[in-house]
Amino acid sequence: MPVRIALIGTGAVGKGILKALSEKDLGIVLTGVADSRSGDIRGEGIVPSDLLKRKKETGLCGDPSLHAQDVVQNAPYDILVEVSPTDATTGEPATGYIRTALSRGCHVVTSNKGPVALHYHELKQEADNAGVSLRFEATVAGAIPILHTLGESLGGNTIKALYGVLNGTCNYILTRMAEEGLSYKQALDEARTLGYAEADPTYDVKGIDAAIKLVILANTVLNRRISLDDIDITGIDLLTEEAIRLAEEQDATIRLIGEIIPEKNLYRLSPRIIPRYHPLVVQGSLNVIIVRTDLAGDLVFSGKGAGSLETASAVLGDILSIRDRYAGGN
Ligand code: HSE
């Protein structure tokens, strides 16, 4: 039986989902869609390729009189797929959409970091009360299934430490500056064009995006209750081309590294000089996470941390996992 979704957000992630749905039959029917300026509801299903075409030609996904909240409130769906841009200060309007969907007894899958970083414990409680799932694999490290792996596959372990490159945009910028001698601005422009950067790229370069991912990791799979204020954050926006060149001369390079050491309550994000062949030195938009555990030892996970189809991969995995868990719909 197909699962019905309503999609909120048709930016890089939303388009990736629509592209995947238009190319593969995954048993997912789109019954509602909204962007920041329009919406559409069709119980019989919206054809993803038609929607992509309409968006490209008109810049809209549907009727300008239909707001995202109308779609969330009224479309017939099993899972709300919320992939609008992150607001790290309020988490809105996405948090409101998620709450509406949960109160309707619908599952939620999101790539939006704001609601999860700011309100995870309350939203999880609301989902539990409603007997539905709230999943957000795409919020951390793009295509890498790190939340699932830490929360389920490594569930019997104590996490001693976690180190990672968690922002594809910064990693892309640092790679291009070191390898091609691009200026910071040129490299950032490229990252934006490639769809890696946030709608507001200062979130990336000032370290906010990667720090939010540390908050999500800590609060969701490491059983902590922290906020952005608990993280010591330094971004790459003030890093000079000279600093990168000096590191390269010492057979090293600079990467923006996130670090969690739970037993010391240590949460830090900062640019570090790393030997060139260290596993934390990944290239371009890749992310990497090294996890130190008591039972499984050290594990390294690497993959694309940003990008349209790569992030869509994580969203689709969450949708299909909910469908399989609640086979028959809710
Ligand atoms: N802007 C983010 C990044 C997108 O560059 O990593 C994925 O969260």
Side-chain angles (χ1 to χ4, degrees):
M1 174 143 165
V3 65
R4 299 166 303 167
I5 65 165
L7 178 70
I8 306 302
T10 56
V13 182
K15 287 199 184 85
I17 294 167
L18 292 169
K19 187 158 188 295
L21 293 183
S22 62
E23 289 172 3
K24 305 167 73 144
D25 182 5
L26 295 172
I28 297 171
V29 177
L30 182 67
T31 53
V33 65
D35 55 26
S36 56
R37 294 186 295 149
S38 63
D40 196 9
I41 296 175
R42 292 188 212 191
E44 74 281 13
I46 299 163
V47 179
S49 55
D50 291 352
L51 173 54
L52 279 170
K53 191 162 172 273
R54 181 160 68 240
K55 179 83 185 169
K56 191 168 180 194
E57 286 170 2
T58 67
L60 300 175
C61 70
D63 178 350
S65 70
L66 206 56
H67 186 264
Q69 181 63 32
D70 302 322
V71 175
V72 176
Q73 185 72 58
N74 300 317
Y77 59 85
D78 305 301
I79 306 178
L80 180 73
V81 178
E82 209 294 327
V83 297
S84 69
T86 293
D87 181 316
T89 314
T90 67
E92 296 295 351
T95 305
Y97 301 152
I98 291 172
R99 289 207 153 107
T100 301
L102 296 176
S103 71
R104 288 186 62 186
C106 297
H107 310 284
V108 172
V109 171
T110 186
S111 63
N112 194 318
K113 288 157 269 199
V116 187
L118 291 165
H119 306 295
Y120 171 66
H121 293 289
E122 307 98 272
L123 292 174
K124 175 78 171 69
Q125 188 63 56
E126 287 171 40
D128 288 349
N129 291 346
V132 295
S133 283
L134 167 67
R135 296 186 71 116
F136 41 87
E137 183 64 67
T139 57
V140 179
I144 307 173
I146 191 66
L147 297 176
H148 177 89
T149 303
L150 288 175
E152 294 176 45
S153 313
L154 296 174
N157 286 260
T158 299
I159 307 299
K160 307 301 252 179
L162 182 151
Y163 305 94
V165 167
L166 293 168
N167 184 270
T169 300
C170 290
N171 208 65
Y172 182 85
I173 293 171
L174 294 171
T175 305
R176 296 289 282 160
M177 286 174 76
E179 293 194 349
E180 306 295 333
L182 258 60
S183 72
Y184 171 81
K185 186 179 176 312
Q186 284 172 318
L188 173 58
D189 286 347
E190 280 191 4
R192 295 188 76 178
T193 306
L194 290 165
Y196 301 152
E198 296 300 293
D200 175 357
T202 59
Y203 277 181
D204 295 291
V205 296
K206 286 187 179 296
I208 309 293
D209 176 81
I212 289 174
K213 290 167 181 162
L214 291 178
V215 172
I216 295 175
L217 282 163
N219 287 355
T220 65
V221 289
L222 301 179
N223 297 319
R224 304 272 143 173
R225 279 183 179 262
I226 66 163
S227 72
L228 261 189
D229 293 338
D230 296 303
I231 303 193
D232 186 1
I233 306 174
T234 311
I236 65 161
D237 51 328
L238 301 177
L239 200 65
T240 62
E241 289 159 37
E242 177 71 358
I244 294 176
R245 195 182 57 73
L246 285 173
E248 295 283 317
E249 278 175 16
Q250 296 167 44
D251 223 10
T253 194
I254 296 181
R255 288 293 181 263
L256 182 64
I257 304 297
E259 182 180 1
I260 300 179
I261 303 186
E263 62 192 19
K264 291 187 183 166
N265 280 323
L266 185 148
Y267 308 98
R268 183 164 50 201
L269 179 88
S270 57
R272 304 277 187 87
I273 297 175
I274 314 269
R276 195 190 297 272
Y277 298 109
H278 191 281
L280 283 172
V281 179
V282 289
Q283 309 299 326
S285 65
L286 288 173
N287 280 191
V288 60
I289 298 163
I290 299 179
V291 187
R292 183 153 296 160
T293 70
D294 60 342
L295 305 179
D298 286 1
L299 299 110
V300 183
F301 305 94
S302 178
K304 288 281 178 69
S308 178
L309 285 174
E310 293 83 353
T311 311
S313 158
V315 172
L316 291 168
D318 277 348
I319 294 170
L320 296 178
S321 146
I322 291 174
R323 181 195 63 188
D324 293 346
R325 182 167 167 205
Y326 298 84
N330 63 332

